[in-house]
Amino acid sequence: MAAAPARAAACSAADAALGRPAVASSAERGDLAAAKAVDGDPGTRWSSLSSDPQWIQVDLGSTKNICKVDLSWETAYGKDFTIQASPDGSAWTTLKTVTGAVGGTSAYDVSGEGRYLRVYGTARGTGYGYSLWELGVHTQDGGSSLPGGGDLGPNVKVFDPSMPAATIQAQIDQIFAQQEAAQFGLGRYALMFKPGSYDINVNTGFYTSVHGLGRNPDDVTVKGVSVDAGWLNGNATQNFWRSAENLSVTPYDGTNRWAVAQAAPFRRMHIRGALNLAPSGYGWASGGYIADSKIDGQVGSYSQQQWYTRDSSIGGWSNSVWNMTFSGVQGAPATSFPEPRYTTLDTTAVSREKPYLYLDGQDYAVYVPSKRMNARGVSWAGGPTPGTSIPLSRFYVAKPGVSAATLNQALAQGLHLLFTPGIYQLDQTIEVNRPDTIVLGLGVATLVPRNGVVAMKVADVDGIRLAGLLIDAGPVNSPVLLEVGQVGAHTDHAADPITVQDVFVRIGGQFAGKATVSVAVHADDTVIDHTWIWRADHGEGVGWDANPADYGLRVYGDDVLATGLFVEHYQKYNVEWFGERGRTIFFQNELPYDPPNQGAYMNGSVKGWAAYKVADSVNQHEGWGMGSYCVFTSDPTIEVDHGFEAPVKAGVHFHSLLVVSLGGKGRYNHVINNTGGPAQGAETVPATVTTFP
C-alpha cells in the first residue's frame, strides 16, 4: 500500500516579526522608527524620509521558512517594492516583486528561508516617504500554534458573593492551615473574589496571594485580610512570600492586621479603618511595602523595623524603629531623620502600578496601569486607574509541568504569559523579546532553573512588565538568574519603561541553590518596584559554601529607579551600581550571617563588603532611606569598614543612611565611606548619616 503523502506544514497565524528587532534605511522622526512597525500596535508606524530607495528589515531571531508577509500601509505607501530574505542581513534573495501597488492592507504569499526579512521600496505612491503601520511575517510551523486563555487551574480559588460565607470561610481556613507555617512548602494558592461583599476574614499564609477581581479596590469588600505570627511564637520576621491586592477591608474591630516581613506586598488596598503592621503581642516584624493604597485610619507600625510606602493615602502614621520611608504619600509624616526616623519625598518621580487580573464583564482580563510621573496619592482616587485592558485570550495560561520550550513558543507567537500557582522547572531560559510583553504570576508562582541556565532574559525593548514571581536558584550554579536588557546597550525607554514588580529571588532555603549574580539590569530607564533578593540564612541548603552567591543586584543601565529595594546576605556586594543617574528610594539590607572569620570576608585590604556600592566611575546617583544591618553569627568579631561606598562627586547624594549591629554581633566602622559610625555593641543603636556628602 502506498504511503500517504506528507502533510504540508501550515503557514502559522502567529506573527514572527512581532516585537523583533527592526531597522530601516531612515526614519522621518524619532517616534517613527522601524520598531513601531513590528510592535503590534495599529496606531504606531514607521515612516521613512521622502526619497527612493528606502527599506525596513526585521530580525526573526533564527532561520525561518517564510510563507506570508502582511503589509499595512499608511496613506504614504509603497507603489513598487520587493520582499526579500537573507540568512545574514547582507546577501538578499527576492521572494516577491510588487509593482503598481495601491496601498492599504495586503497579504503576500511567499516561499523562502531566511533569518532576516526586508521590504525594499523603489518607488513611492505619494510625495511623502514610505509609511507602514504594521509589517507581519508568517512562517511554517506545522500547524501547532498554542491557544491563549483557558482555565486558571486547581490552585486558583474563585469566590462569588452568592456563596454562603461559612462555605467560603471554611475553604480559606483549610488553605491557611496548610500554608500558615509552610515557609519552604510546595503549596501555591491564589484566592480571588468576584465583585461584591463578603463577611469573611482571609488569613493569609505562605505562598498565598489574595485578589479582588473588580476593576477598582472598592468593588470587593471583605472583613479582613490578615497576617499574624502565632506559628512563630509571635515573631513576624519570617512572614514572607504572600500578597494582597485590589480589594477593600472593613475590619470587624476597626483595625486590620498585616504583620509581615519581606516579599509581602500590599497593593491597591482600601482599609476602611486602621492598619496594624505588628503581630499580636507586638513581637518583632521586619519590613514591608504598601503601594497605591488608601488607609482611612492610622497606620501603626509599632515594632516594625523598617517599611516603605509609595503613592498612597493614609490617615496618619505612628512609630519608627529604624527606617520608615514614604514617597508620594498623602498624610505621611514629614522628614525628621534621624529621630524619629522618617524620610519623606513629596512625590514619586516615575511609577506604574502592577498589572492585575480582573473580570471584564464575565471574562477574565489583565489590566495594565499607565505610567505616572511625580505621582502622589492613589491612582484610583478620581475614578478607575488609567491604563489598558488585555483579554486573557492574549495570554498563554501556564500550569506546572509546562516546558520552557512551550513557554518560549507562546512568547514567539505574540502571547503574554500568565503563570498559575505552582513550581516551574526550567531546562532552558525563558526569552522575553517582544515590546510591552506581560509576564505575570499568581500565588507566588516559582521558577527553578535547572542545569545552571539563566531563568529569564528580557530583551532591550520598551515596556516589558514582569510581576508576581519567585525565582528559586537551582542546585547547579547559574551565572545570572534574571537578566534585564542587553549588555552594553543604552536604548532610551523613558516613555515606556521596563518594570520589575514583586519579583523575588531566593538562593537556598528550599534546597542548596547557587547563582553568581541574582539580578542584572542592563536596560536604561528600568523601574524596579519592590523586590526581595535573598541569599537564605535559614532553611535547607544554607551555609557559606552550601548556597554561594556573590552579588544580589548589579545595575548597568542608566536612569534606573528602584522603589522598595530589599537585598540580603550576599557574600560580596549586595547591590553594585554602574549606571548613571540611578535612584533608590528605600533600601533594606542584612549582610551575610555566616562568614566563618574576618579573613573569609575581606574585599582586598578592606574589611568586609559594603551593602550598597556605587562604582567609582559614576557621576550621578541618589538614594533616600537606606539601612544595612549586621549579625555575624559565625564570628561576632568580624568588622565591616563601610556600610555604603560611593564616589565623592557633586552629582552623588544620599539622604537618611543608617547601619546597625544587631546585638553586638559584628561592627560597622563607618556608615558611608569613612563618614559616620561606628555601630557596635549589644544596645542595637543605629549609627546614622543624615546627608552625604
Side-chain angles (χ1 to χ4, degrees):
M1 186 166 106
R7 182 174 64 90
C11 195
S12 172
D15 182 3
L18 187 62
R20 298 299 308 169
V23 296
S25 52
S26 67
E28 182 184 349
R29 300 192 307 264
D31 62 332
L32 301 175
K36 299 298 183 181
V38 292
D39 63 0
D41 185 345
T44 61
R45 61 189 173 95
W46 162 66
S47 183
S48 76
L49 297 177
S50 303
S51 61
D52 293 310
Q54 299 287 343
W55 52 264
I56 180 173
Q57 76 180 51
V58 59
D59 179 358
L60 304 178
S62 61
T63 299
K64 309 285 187 183
N65 291 315
I66 302 167
C67 50
K68 189 171 71 169
V69 175
D70 300 328
L71 300 178
S72 179
W73 295 102
E74 195 249 357
T75 305
Y77 63 94
K79 184 177 69 173
D80 298 343
F81 55 89
T82 55
I83 299 172
Q84 305 170 331
S86 171
D88 55 10
S90 58
W92 295 94
T93 299
T94 297
L95 306 181
K96 187 84 172 181
T97 299
V98 179
T99 58
V102 294
T105 298
S106 299
Y108 297 95
D109 292 328
V110 297
S111 180
E113 283 191 352
R115 171 173 174 167
Y116 298 86
L117 187 287
R118 182 168 75 171
V119 178
Y120 190 91
T122 53
R124 290 164 289 137
T126 71
Y128 300 102
Y130 296 82
S131 185
L132 272 174
W133 292 114
E134 285 296 306
L135 163 60
V137 179
H138 302 272
T139 62
Q140 291 179 341
D141 68 348
S144 58
S145 294
L146 295 169
D151 72 272
L152 299 176
N155 286 359
V156 174
K157 308 299 183 182
V158 180
F159 303 110
D160 187 287
S162 65
M163 297 170 63
T167 301
I168 298 174
Q169 191 69 64
Q171 289 189 49
I172 292 169
D173 291 348
Q174 182 181 15
I175 291 170
F176 179 67
Q178 175 186 315
Q179 299 301 115
E180 180 185 12
Q183 182 172 179
F184 299 107
L186 304 181
R188 303 288 188 272
Y189 294 93
L191 310 179
M192 299 195 166
F193 295 86
K194 293 182 178 181
S197 295
Y198 300 80
D199 188 10
I200 51 109
N201 176 52
V202 189
N203 277 320
T204 309
F206 283 101
Y207 311 109
T208 303
S209 58
V210 183
H211 308 254
L213 288 172
R215 175 73 172 77
N216 298 298
D218 288 336
D219 294 340
V220 175
T221 300
V222 299
K223 292 294 187 180
V225 180
S226 306
V227 179
D228 207 339
W231 73 279
L232 200 60
N233 301 314
N235 182 342
T237 59
Q238 294 181 34
N239 280 346
F240 313 137
W241 303 307
R242 65 199 75 198
S243 65
E245 64 177 68
N246 198 39
L247 67 164
S248 64
V249 178
T250 304
Y252 290 110
D253 62 358
T255 300
N256 190 77
R257 187 182 302 278
W258 187 255
V260 298
Q262 294 84 351
F266 204 68
R267 292 183 179 270
R268 291 178 59 81
M269 297 292 289
H270 183 189
I271 306 302
R272 300 175 184 273
L275 182 64
N276 188 331
L277 302 180
S280 56
Y282 298 92
W284 287 112
S286 185
Y289 170 94
I290 293 172
D292 201 26
S293 294
K294 185 176 189 294
I295 293 90
D296 294 346
Q298 181 169 271
V299 180
S301 65
Y302 302 108
S303 55
Q304 272 288 351
Q305 295 166 341
Q306 61 270 316
W307 198 277
Y308 174 56
T309 307
R310 176 181 65 72
D311 300 353
S312 294
S313 173
I314 61 177
W317 189 280
S318 68
N319 206 42
S320 69
V321 176
W322 293 330
N323 180 15
M324 300 293 161
T325 302
F326 310 83
S327 67
V329 179
Q330 297 167 338
T335 296
S336 54
F337 191 91
E339 194 61 49
R341 297 186 180 100
Y342 296 138
T343 304
T344 301
L345 288 74
D346 189 60
T347 62
T348 306
V350 182
S351 59
R352 182 167 57 197
E353 300 309 325
K354 172 180 170 287
Y356 59 93
L357 190 71
Y358 80 112
L359 280 171
D360 185 8
Q362 299 300 311
D363 299 319
Y364 287 112
V366 171
Y367 199 79
V368 186
S370 299
K371 184 184 73 170
R372 304 175 76 191
M373 300 293 292
N374 299 314
R376 180 172 172 81
V378 299
S379 67
W380 41 277
T385 297
T388 57
S389 180
I390 302 175
L392 192 64
S393 60
R394 289 177 57 188
F395 284 77
Y396 179 75
V397 179
K399 298 181 177 67
V402 68
S403 70
T406 298
L407 296 171
N408 283 327
Q409 180 186 348
L411 289 167
Q413 280 183 210
L415 294 171
H416 306 279
L417 291 184
L418 180 74
F419 285 92
T420 62
I423 299 172
Y424 296 79
Q425 305 289 335
L426 306 176
D427 61 358
Q428 60 181 261
T429 301
I430 299 174
E431 304 271 2
V432 187
N433 296 319
R434 189 179 72 259
D436 295 310
T437 298
I438 297 166
V439 180
L440 178 62
L442 305 176
V444 199
T446 302
L447 312 180
V448 183
R450 313 299 296 184
N451 304 318
V453 302
V454 177
M456 185 177 293
K457 289 185 178 181
V458 174
D460 196 66
V461 296
D462 282 354
I464 289 174
R465 296 159 174 85
L466 310 181
L469 298 167
L470 170 62
I471 300 174
D472 208 354
V476 177
N477 188 77
S478 294
V480 183
L481 292 174
L482 172 61
E483 188 172 75
V484 179
Q486 181 180 338
V487 175
H490 285 286
T491 306
D492 186 348
H493 302 297
D496 189 11
I498 297 168
T499 53
V500 180
Q501 300 178 285
D502 302 346
V503 174
F504 311 125
V505 174
R506 182 168 67 191
I507 313 285
Q510 185 73 54
F511 42 75
K514 301 173 179 65
T516 305
V517 179
S518 285
V519 180
V521 176
H522 300 277
D524 291 355
D525 306 294
T526 299
V527 176
I528 305 168
D529 178 42
H530 187 234
T531 184
W532 185 38
I533 303 171
W534 185 60
R535 175 180 169 262
D537 60 276
H538 63 274
E540 297 296 324
V542 169
W544 191 248
D545 299 315
N547 60 330
D550 286 349
Y551 305 99
L553 171 66
R554 302 184 102 182
V555 178
Y556 303 89
D558 295 336
D559 301 294
V560 173
L561 171 64
T563 51
L565 182 58
F566 299 73
V567 188
E568 296 191 297
H569 305 309
Y570 283 82
Q571 294 172 304
K572 294 183 179 178
Y573 294 124
N574 281 260
V575 173
E576 190 171 19
W577 209 295
F578 300 94
E580 287 289 353
R581 297 175 299 281
R583 292 170 291 178
T584 294
I585 306 173
F586 182 90
F587 172 66
Q588 186 266 322
N589 165 261
E590 281 184 345
L591 296 178
Y593 289 2
D594 55 347
N597 51 57
Q598 186 73 67
Y601 198 53
M602 295 288 292
N603 182 8
S605 61
V606 176
K607 293 180 179 178
W609 294 77
Y612 188 105
K613 166 73 173 180
V614 180
D616 294 342
S617 60
V618 171
N619 294 307
Q620 296 183 60
H621 191 91
E622 195 159 11
W624 297 262
M626 306 177 72
S628 177
Y629 323 127
C630 73
V631 51
F632 295 119
T633 55
S634 295
D635 181 357
T637 69
I638 292 174
E639 299 179 16
V640 179
D641 280 340
H642 316 123
F644 298 82
E645 290 179 356
V648 180
K649 296 181 181 179
V652 177
H653 303 280
F654 287 90
H655 317 270
S656 304
L657 298 178
L658 67 124
V659 295
V660 182
S661 174
L662 301 183
K665 293 181 178 179
R667 167 187 165 117
Y668 289 93
N669 292 324
H670 299 286
V671 178
I672 181 167
N673 295 355
N674 293 322
T675 299
Q680 60 185 334
E683 295 81 8
T684 314
V685 176
T688 64
V689 169
T690 303
T691 58
F692 179 86

